[in-house]
Amino acid sequence: MSIEAKTIAVIGGTGAEGSGIAQRLAKAGHRIILGSRDPAKAENAARELQHRLGGGQLTGRGNREAAEAAEIVILTVPYAAQQATIEEIRAVLAGKILVDATAPLVPPKVNRVQLPPGGSAVAAVQAMLGDSVRVVSAFQNVSAEKLKRHDAAVECDVLVCADDAAARQSVIGLVADMGLRGIDAGPIANSAAAEALTSLLIWINRKYKVPASGICVTGLPSV
Amino acid sequence: MSIEAKTIAVIGGTGAEGSGIAQRLAKAGHRIILGSRDPAKAENAARELQHRLGGGQLTGRGNREAAEAAEIVILTVPYAAQQATIEEIRAVLAGKILVDATAPLVPPKVNRVQLPPGGSAVAAVQAMLGDSVRVVSAFQNVSAEKLKRHDAAVECDVLVCADDAAARQSVIGLVADMGLRGIDAGPIANSAAAEALTSLLIWINRKYKVPASGICVTGLPSV
C-alpha cells in the first residue's frame, strides 16, 4: 500500500473501538500514538497491538502529550467522558483535524436514540472549539469487534461529516487505508444521523440476535 | 402472493412517495384509498394508478374520509403539511395504526439534518395523539422514484420504529408485501435516525451525482 504516513493520536486508544482503529491505521503504515489518562496503560496497549500486528509504529502517552505530537487526533471515548477529554487536549488542537467518534449513548437505554439538545454530540464539539479546529465525525456505526480483526473485511460504511470539505476528504482517505469505505455525508450537523444510528444498530443487534449489524449506503457507483 | 388484504388509506397519496407506496400495496392485493385535500384529485390519481397497474382496488377521497374508511393510515405529506394534516384526520384515527413517513426537511437546506426540538417529527406526532393511536415511523429513506417502478427491486431497507411491537410487525409485513425489507428498528424515538438519514441521503445524491441512494442494514441473517 502506498500512502503518505501520518502521525495520528488515538485518544481512548486503549478501549475497544480505539484499539481497532489504531491497529488498522498502524497496519497501513501510519505512526500511531495511543492516548490514555494513564500513560503506562497506553504504552502497554501500544506494545500489545504491535505484538499482535507483528510490527507497526505504535507508542503510548498521556492524552495531552499524544494529541500534541500528532497531526490528526481521533477521539474514541465514551460519551460521558467526551467533554472532559476535549478540555484536556483542546490547548494542543489548533490547526489540526479532530476526528470525533462519539455517539451520545445514554445508559441504561443505549438502544434508544437520545440525541443531545442541539441534535449532535459532535457538532457540539465543533461549536465549542471554534474554527481553529476542523472537527470530523466518523466511525459511530462500525463495530469495534470487527475493526479488531484487522485482516477481515468490515461490511459497514463509515459516514464522514465535517463542515470542512478537505477535512472530510482526508478522513475518507484514512478510512480507505483501514480497508473500509468512507462516505462523504456532508456538514457536521449531519453527524446527528450517524450518532442516532448507533443506538438503532444496538437495538437491531439485540432484536435480531446478531453481534454486529452495520449500515451500507446503496445506489452509489462501485468504487 | 397470499396476504390478508387490508384497507389502507394513503394520505398525500397523489404525491410521488404516496403513489409509489399505494401502487405496491395495491399490487399486493390490499384495498387502497388515496387521500387528498381535493377528493376529485384523489379519484383521478386512483384511476391513473389502476390503469398503470392494469388492475387493483384503488379509490380516492378527501383526507378525512379516506382515513375514516381505513384500518391503517399512511401519511406521506411534506413536513410543512404534517401537523395540519394530522389535525384534519385525528378524530378518525383512534384504535388505528398511523404510519408516518415524514422526514423533517427544512428548505432551502434539505441536505442538512435539522431535527425538530425533541428530536423526531414522528415521535412528536405520537406524543400529540396519545396512546389511542399507534404511530409507526417508516419509509423515510426510500426513493419515490424507485417505489413507482413497481416491478423493480428496491435496494433500500425500510427502518420501522414504533413503541408498540405488534404495530411494528404489522408494518414490517406491509413492507414485505411491497417487495422491500422492513427492519424492526425499535421505539418511536429511534425514528430520529431514519429522519436524519433522509437529509444525509439527499446530500449523498448530490455529492455523488446519483439519483437515489439508500441504506441497507448489514450483518443480519438473510431473510
Side-chain angles (χ1 to χ4, degrees):
Chain A
M1 205 177 303
S2 130
I3 62 160
E4 188 200 342
K6 296 200 172 70
T7 302
I8 302 170
V10 182
I11 307 298
T14 60
E17 186 86 9
S19 66
I21 291 170
Q23 269 190 76
R24 285 179 178 253
L25 288 172
K27 193 181 168 194
H30 295 292
R31 295 174 294 271
I32 303 300
I33 310 169
L34 298 187
S36 173
R37 274 173 302 181
D38 176 354
K41 196 176 161 194
E43 284 163 27
N44 286 337
R47 268 192 296 272
E48 194 198 313
L49 289 187
Q50 217 160 17
H51 178 72
R52 202 182 301 173
L53 286 171
Q57 299 183 68
L58 288 133
T59 55
R61 300 192 194 174
N63 282 334
R64 188 179 159 125
E65 292 67 32
E68 189 162 22
E71 305 159 64
I72 295 175
V73 179
I74 303 180
L75 184 69
T76 62
V77 297
Y79 179 46
Q82 182 201 29
Q83 296 282 333
T85 310
I86 298 272
E87 289 299 346
E88 201 182 342
I89 62 175
R90 72 181 295 172
V92 299
L93 292 177
K96 298 179 182 175
I97 288 175
L98 173 68
V99 182
D100 189 344
T102 303
L105 302 180
V106 185
K109 294 202 171 174
V110 295
N111 60 356
R112 182 189 186 88
V113 176
Q114 299 177 76
L115 295 174
S120 156
V122 180
V125 167
Q126 178 68 80
M128 186 172 101
L129 293 176
D131 289 345
S132 71
V133 183
R134 291 177 294 165
V135 177
V136 181
S137 172
F139 301 117
Q140 279 83 3
N141 307 136
V142 182
S143 139
E145 287 309 309
K146 292 207 167 175
L147 286 177
K148 281 164 74 177
R149 276 178 262 129
H150 57 81
D151 286 324
V154 177
E155 200 194 2
C156 183
D157 287 334
V158 175
L159 301 174
V160 178
C161 304
D163 286 341
D164 184 89
R168 284 199 302 268
Q169 280 311 307
S170 293
V171 175
I172 288 170
L174 292 181
V175 171
D177 294 342
M178 292 167 58
L180 283 84
R181 183 171 74 160
I183 304 281
D184 185 331
I188 199 74
N190 289 3
S191 177
E195 294 171 32
L197 272 172
T198 306
S199 292
L200 193 141
L201 293 173
I202 295 171
W203 172 278
I204 288 172
N205 288 345
R206 293 180 185 175
K207 180 76 193 176
Y208 292 90
K209 299 182 171 55
V210 296
S213 61
I215 60 125
C216 178
V217 175
T218 61
L220 293 178
S222 45
V223 284
Chain B
M1 203 177 305
S2 131
I3 62 159
E4 188 201 342
K6 295 199 173 70
T7 303
I8 302 169
V10 182
I11 308 298
T14 59
E17 187 85 9
S19 66
I21 291 170
Q23 269 189 77
R24 284 178 179 256
L25 288 173
K27 193 180 168 194
H30 294 292
R31 295 174 294 271
I32 303 301
I33 311 170
L34 299 186
S36 172
R37 275 174 302 182
D38 176 354
K41 197 176 160 194
E43 284 164 28
N44 285 337
R47 268 192 295 274
E48 195 196 311
L49 289 188
Q50 217 160 18
H51 178 73
R52 204 183 299 172
L53 286 171
Q57 298 184 68
L58 289 134
T59 55
R61 300 192 194 174
N63 282 334
R64 189 181 159 122
E65 293 68 32
E68 189 162 21
E71 304 159 66
I72 294 174
V73 179
I74 303 179
L75 184 69
T76 61
V77 297
Y79 179 46
Q82 182 200 29
Q83 295 282 333
T85 309
I86 298 272
E87 289 299 346
E88 200 181 343
I89 63 176
R90 72 181 295 172
V92 298
L93 291 177
K96 298 179 182 176
I97 288 175
L98 174 67
V99 182
D100 189 344
T102 303
L105 302 179
V106 185
K109 293 203 172 173
V110 294
N111 59 356
R112 182 188 186 90
V113 176
Q114 299 177 77
L115 294 174
S120 156
V122 179
V125 166
Q126 178 68 80
M128 186 172 100
L129 293 176
D131 289 345
S132 71
V133 183
R134 291 178 294 164
V135 177
V136 181
S137 172
F139 301 117
Q140 277 84 3
N141 307 136
V142 182
S143 139
E145 287 308 310
K146 292 206 166 175
L147 286 178
K148 281 164 75 176
R149 277 179 261 127
H150 56 83
D151 286 325
V154 178
E155 201 196 0
C156 183
D157 287 333
V158 176
L159 301 174
V160 178
C161 303
D163 287 340
D164 184 88
R168 285 198 301 269
Q169 281 311 308
S170 294
V171 174
I172 288 170
L174 292 181
V175 171
D177 294 342
M178 291 167 58
L180 284 84
R181 184 172 72 160
I183 305 280
D184 185 329
I188 200 75
N190 289 3
S191 177
E195 296 171 32
L197 271 172
T198 307
S199 292
L200 194 141
L201 292 173
I202 295 171
W203 172 278
I204 289 172
N205 288 344
R206 293 180 185 175
K207 180 75 193 177
Y208 291 91
K209 298 183 172 57
V210 296
S213 61
I215 60 125
C216 179
V217 175
T218 61
L220 292 180
S222 46
V223 285

